[in-house]
Amino acid sequence: MNFELSAKKITQIKADFEVVFIQDKNLKNFSKAKDLFKINDYKGEGACLDLANKILYIELKSLEYEDIRMACFNIYKTLSKLNIKSIKIPSILGKCVVMSFSSLVQGFKFGVYEFNKYKSEKKISSLEKIIISYEEINGKEFDKKEAQIGINMGEILANATNFTKDIVNEIPQIYTPLKMAEDALSLAKENKDITCKVYDEKFLSKEKMNAFLAVNKASIHPPRLIHLSYKPKNAKQKVVFVGKGLTYDSGGLSLKPADYMLTMKADKSGAAAAMGIIKAVAELKLDIEVHSVLGATENMIGGDAYKPDDVLISREGVSIEVRNTDAEGRLVLADCLSFAQDLKPDLLIDMATLTGACVVGLGEFTSAIMGNNEDLQNDFYQTSKKSGEYTTVLHFNPHLRELIKSNIADVSNTASSRYGGAITAGLFLDKFIRKEYKDKWLHLDIAGPAYLEKSWGYNAFGASGAGVRMCIAYLLKLSSKVMK
Ligand code: BES
Ligand code: ZN
Ligand code: ZN
């Protein structure tokens, strides 16, 4: 799909269809369409098609970025069913030109996304070209350069998000840790600014990553530690992402009930997001050094499986009592966070589909932000809001910390109470964060929005690419690129 800026007035642009935005459900200015609206009982909500005049009326709830994304998604969903190649639309200008155009592009590109690899019949749309008239908006002139930057940014963000979705949606018999390593290596091959190192089980043993290795024990697929890096010259800061890459989580010997096991191919969402982020960062050529450390393994059952009652000595030297093998993500992350801290980050962010408790507490739309630094958490929260992702801060407290104490080891992998499960998982991870990184670390539990069993907003069924846009928004902020 192509996005083209045109200086012409919308009436002078040639295209197969025209889009007209309806703001505030205000139909007064469209006297020509009065009869059409009446016949269709159209009150300004959603879409109204005028096939005779080749015009689509579409609701634009407000100039907030999320409403811009939604309006453009709705345009695509309505017009992709018709046999047309090009459309012309007026510009939509919210607070910031770059963000407005970026949101517009995202709306269209999320409309296009569908994981249809395994369907014999694939829907193919003929819509190729979106021409955006920028003659003026509400009598205001704006910078064409900024609009073009916004279009490019929107394409990069949407491509990275859709790239992450493809990884998460891929089925578990194909998507093994080796496949994840292969994808990471191809990402580095396609982008000369990204390098990739893949470490096997021998390396993990040598590094004493026993918690990570324990989770992998009963799997026929060997584990991989994947390290992607992007190191621009004159980088101002170093940000390290760590992603939970459970290519399948059966629960292990503490086996999941059948209904809960379904969708656990999506337990690799954190790692997939970390891949999408570094891809976007390299394409945006940000002046920040970025690393993505991915812990890829399956959690399976078998005679060789790790067990409840096992005690594991992690890479950080912290001993862990295993009380539930389904709390495996935190074990993999513990060792990956240890590896990540050796990279000496200025900011360390882990992303994981870590707990069902987070989904119960926050619902399916919202990710949790945790950590020890309230200013950092609040700052991240404020920025994430504009990205189109929902987040909230969950605070640690000393009483919850008590619940992960173990009688025979330094920490238990499961809290003694079900209540507060998202936070106790975060507190478990905190055990592996060294003093000097306590204030530089954020934990994002993306278990809710990472995989949708029912589509919502502009997100299709399946993976949503959770984590990608909010983290890039934060990196853009750090690099002082626009994000108003
Ligand atoms: N991968 C799951 C968490 C999850 C659940 C993600 C639902 C997405 C949707 C994780 O490994 C897990 O099973 N966690 C357990 C922890 C418990 C045993 C302490 C959970 O949340 O039940
Ligand atoms: Zn689990
Ligand atoms: Zn898991």
Side-chain angles (χ1 to χ4, degrees), residues 244 246 249 264 267 326 328-329 353:
K244 170 176 173 182
L246 262 288
D249 180 13
M264 279 303 133
D267 216 19
D326 197 13
E328 84 300 334
T353 44

Coordinates of all heavy atoms in Angstrom, one line a residue, residues 244 246 249 264 267 326 328-329 353, ligand 3:
K244 N 10.7 -12.6 26.9 CA 10.3 -14.0 27.2 C 9.9 -14.6 25.9 O 9.0 -14.2 25.3 CB 9.1 -14.0 28.2 CG 8.5 -15.4 28.4 CD 7.4 -15.4 29.5 CE 6.7 -16.8 29.5 NZ 5.6 -16.8 30.5
L246 N 8.9 -18.0 25.2 CA 8.4 -19.4 25.3 C 7.7 -19.8 24.0 O 6.5 -19.3 23.8 CB 7.5 -19.5 26.6 CG 8.2 -20.0 27.8 CD1 8.5 -21.5 27.8 CD2 9.5 -19.3 28.2
D249 N 4.2 -23.0 26.0 CA 4.1 -23.2 27.4 C 3.0 -24.1 27.8 O 1.8 -23.7 27.8 CB 3.9 -21.8 28.1 CG 3.8 -21.9 29.6 OD1 4.2 -23.0 30.2 OD2 3.4 -20.9 30.3
M264 N -1.1 -20.7 24.0 CA 0.2 -20.6 24.6 C 1.4 -20.6 23.6 O 2.5 -20.5 24.0 CB 0.5 -21.7 25.7 CG -0.2 -21.3 27.0 SD 0.4 -19.7 27.6 CE -1.1 -18.9 28.1
D267 N 3.2 -17.3 24.0 CA 4.0 -17.0 25.2 C 5.4 -16.6 24.7 O 6.3 -16.3 25.6 CB 4.1 -18.3 26.0 CG 4.2 -18.0 27.5 OD1 3.8 -16.8 27.9 OD2 4.6 -18.8 28.3
D326 N 4.9 -24.1 36.0 CA 4.2 -23.2 35.1 C 4.6 -21.8 35.3 O 4.3 -20.9 34.5 CB 2.7 -23.4 35.2 CG 1.9 -22.8 34.0 OD1 2.6 -22.5 33.0 OD2 0.7 -22.7 34.1
E328 N 7.4 -20.5 34.7 CA 8.7 -20.8 34.0 C 9.2 -19.5 33.4 O 10.5 -19.4 33.3 CB 8.5 -21.8 32.9 CG 8.0 -21.3 31.5 CD 6.6 -20.6 31.6 OE1 5.8 -20.9 32.5 OE2 6.3 -19.8 30.7
G329 N 8.4 -18.5 33.0 CA 8.8 -17.3 32.3 C 9.8 -16.6 33.2 O 10.9 -16.1 32.7
T353 N 4.8 -12.2 28.6 CA 3.4 -12.7 28.9 C 3.6 -13.5 30.2 O 3.6 -14.7 30.1 CB 2.9 -13.5 27.8 OG1 3.9 -14.5 27.4 CG2 2.5 -12.7 26.6
Ligands
ZN3 ZN 4.5 -18.8 30.3

